[in-house]
Amino acid sequence: MEHGGQPDVYFKKLVTLEHAGHMLHLRVAQDLFSSHEIDAGTRFLLRSLAENATAPFTKVLDLGCGYGPLGLAMAKVEPDREVQLVDRDALAIEYARQNAVLNGMPQPKVYGSLGYDDVKDTDFDLVLSNVPGKAGATVISSLLLDARHHLRPGGLTAIVVVAALGPEVAELLAATPEIEVMLRKSRSGHVVYFYRFAEDGRAARPLGSALDRGVYRRGDMALSCAGQELSVETAHGLPEFDALSFQSQLLLESLSSLKGARPKKVISLNPGQGHLPVALVKLFEPEELSLVGRDLLGLRYAEANLLRNGYPRERITLSHRLGMATDDEAPVDLIVGPLEEDEGREAIAYTVEEGAKALSAQGTMLVAATSTAVTRLESSVQSQELLKIKARKRKGGHSVLELTRVYKMSF
């Protein structure tokens, strides 16, 4: 499968969605929510809107859009409607963009945003969201209540949640005096809510992002690396908030064995909470550190933890993207990080191939995954002849590969 002339290593299947007499065909990636078929909650919310909402909704925000079923369905019904789709996952953003084009809708604006943090407009008629069930209470509260800062007077928020979240959401909405619940419907393990904010409830937008205001904050975590004690702040919605995974342990051990190296330019792939980036700057003091990954929350939390540990902001670059390519063509001395195994075998191999092309002549790449995935990756590395396997370490069913660039002599 190709997209835009390039192999699409993330593609899984094509699914269909019928809404208000219109049929959408949607490309789905393996590692996205509801990759088998359109989620029942999404269908329930769209049906509820069609049956109960009479406003024209000339401007719509789809918050946490995934591959785009909610926002694109709204755009398909009314071609003149302005629709913006946002998500923190670069893979979701890529597929929502693909699906807009596939369905003949080049007009929707699709971009990365951590919650509402990157949404600038304040005049939406409708904010839509299929609220993630495991986001954490403070994050869910922000997603539900901060809609007020982006709606026109009288604008509507329409959400769907899994039934287990229903009591929590009902309590939150009832405890907010400026909210008027217009509709509550339960069906098939989901609950839909429509609500509006009173005119005096549309308070001024708070200073600072949700991240700056501690909405994602979970606690602090200490760790040791090569005799140094490090500290990071952890976030809801990211793994490794109380203990390091086997993959991170293996990567830290491999970094310790490189002590004495002096990499000037470093990439931290899929940085998560920021444990590995903080260790990198403490061990090597690189001149430049690029944080590269799909998850905007991980990128920004890793950056915050680097700043917290004294690393200068001007040396940090954030690349919210798929794979490992960067906009900087300068060669990289060290690449470190876990691989997104759920993306699939081809995507992992493609990511490592991109990294290989970015490495300097003496550069090193350290990547970790389950031992099964690493064994498959070894075969791919050997067939590509771009990298040499220098070492492999194992722990608890996981492995780390140490790779170096192969440069062929030409005569």
Side-chain angles (χ1 to χ4, degrees):
M1 179 65 66
E2 293 190 355
H3 177 71
Q6 298 296 322
D8 189 343
V9 295
Y10 303 94
F11 177 76
K12 178 181 180 180
K13 63 184 294 187
L14 198 69
V15 299
T16 58
L17 171 63
E18 186 176 0
H19 175 63
H22 296 269
M23 183 66 73
L24 286 87
H25 300 276
L26 302 167
R27 290 169 55 81
V28 182
Q30 177 170 308
D31 194 23
L32 287 177
F33 171 70
S34 192
S35 66
H36 180 63
E37 61 181 357
I38 302 296
D39 171 60
T42 294
R43 294 181 184 274
F44 184 23
L45 180 54
L46 285 172
R47 188 164 57 248
S48 299
L49 282 164
E51 294 172 352
N52 299 280
T54 58
F57 302 134
T58 58
K59 188 169 182 177
V60 177
L61 174 67
D62 180 359
L63 183 72
C65 64
Y67 52 85
L70 281 173
L72 295 181
M74 298 297 290
K76 189 72 172 179
V77 172
E78 294 288 346
D80 293 331
R81 177 179 282 156
E82 180 181 347
V83 180
Q84 296 186 21
L85 300 91
V86 301
D87 204 289
R88 77 186 222 193
D89 185 350
L91 183 59
I93 294 304
E94 169 61 22
Y95 270 74
R97 286 174 177 153
Q98 289 187 24
N99 287 327
V101 174
L102 178 64
N103 288 277
M105 297 179 293
Q107 75 276 18
K109 184 179 180 182
V110 187
Y111 56 100
S113 181
L114 184 55
Y116 297 99
D117 283 354
D118 303 271
V119 178
K120 306 303 181 187
D121 292 356
T122 60
D123 59 347
F124 293 98
D125 301 299
L126 175 66
V127 171
L128 287 172
S129 186
N130 188 339
V131 178
K134 298 181 180 179
T138 56
V139 178
I140 290 173
S141 176
S142 175
L143 296 178
L144 269 56
L145 301 184
D146 287 355
R148 74 183 79 190
H149 308 302
H150 300 275
L151 287 164
R152 289 177 177 169
L156 183 71
T157 304
I159 64 168
V160 62
V161 299
V162 293
L165 273 181
E168 178 183 334
V169 170
E171 182 178 352
L172 175 64
L173 297 180
T176 309
E178 58 268 33
I179 284 180
E180 179 186 3
V181 176
M182 314 299 293
L183 176 74
R184 180 190 182 280
K185 293 180 67 175
S186 299
R187 186 182 302 172
S188 304
H190 292 87
V191 187
V192 160
Y193 291 93
F194 293 0
Y195 58 95
R196 288 193 170 99
F197 294 90
E199 185 63 26
D200 57 1
R202 298 178 69 258
R205 191 170 180 173
L207 295 175
S209 66
L211 189 146
D212 293 336
R213 291 180 278 121
V215 166
Y216 297 91
R217 176 177 168 78
R218 188 164 200 154
D220 293 331
M221 179 178 166
L223 63 149
S224 298
C225 180
Q228 295 194 56
E229 295 299 316
L230 312 177
S231 176
V232 299
E233 180 182 304
T234 61
H236 289 284
L238 293 174
E240 299 185 282
F241 55 85
D242 58 355
L244 291 179
S245 66
F246 284 127
Q247 292 181 24
S248 288
Q249 291 175 40
L250 282 165
L251 288 166
L252 282 174
E253 290 168 8
S254 298
L255 284 177
S256 298
S257 70
L258 296 178
K259 194 173 182 181
R262 287 290 176 263
K264 294 182 179 180
K265 184 173 177 59
V266 175
I267 287 178
S268 178
L269 178 68
N270 302 321
Q273 305 276 6
H275 307 105
L276 289 170
V278 170
L280 282 165
V281 301
K282 293 295 184 182
L283 287 170
F284 304 116
E285 299 181 358
E287 295 178 5
E288 299 178 53
L289 179 58
S290 294
L291 304 173
V292 180
R294 282 170 43 187
D295 188 351
L296 199 51
L297 177 60
L299 294 175
R300 289 183 178 166
Y301 239 79
E303 179 186 40
N305 275 313
L306 287 169
L307 298 175
R308 183 183 185 191
N309 281 272
Y311 192 68
R313 186 185 298 273
E314 62 270 18
R315 297 187 186 180
I316 304 170
T317 302
L318 268 61
S319 293
H320 184 222
R321 67 194 312 153
L322 301 176
M324 210 186 301
T326 66
D327 296 326
D328 188 350
E329 295 183 359
V332 178
D333 302 308
L334 178 61
I335 298 173
V336 180
L339 297 167
E340 294 279 6
E341 191 170 337
D342 288 343
E343 292 176 350
R345 180 176 180 175
E346 291 185 4
I348 287 177
Y350 185 69
T351 296
V352 172
E353 181 183 349
E354 285 187 316
K357 294 174 181 178
L359 276 180
S360 65
Q362 304 301 318
T364 297
M365 187 189 310
L366 296 170
V367 290
T370 65
S371 291
T372 299
V374 168
T375 297
R376 291 171 179 163
L377 178 60
E378 283 183 308
S379 299
S380 175
V381 167
Q382 290 163 354
S383 67
Q384 290 172 352
E385 298 183 343
L386 290 171
L387 292 163
K388 178 172 68 176
I389 300 171
K390 188 173 181 181
R392 175 174 177 173
K393 297 178 183 178
R394 295 174 171 86
K395 177 181 286 189
H398 300 263
S399 294
V400 62
L401 278 184
E402 182 178 346
L403 305 164
T404 56
R405 179 76 186 269
V406 173
Y407 280 87
K408 297 181 180 179
M409 299 293 292
S410 58
F411 299 93

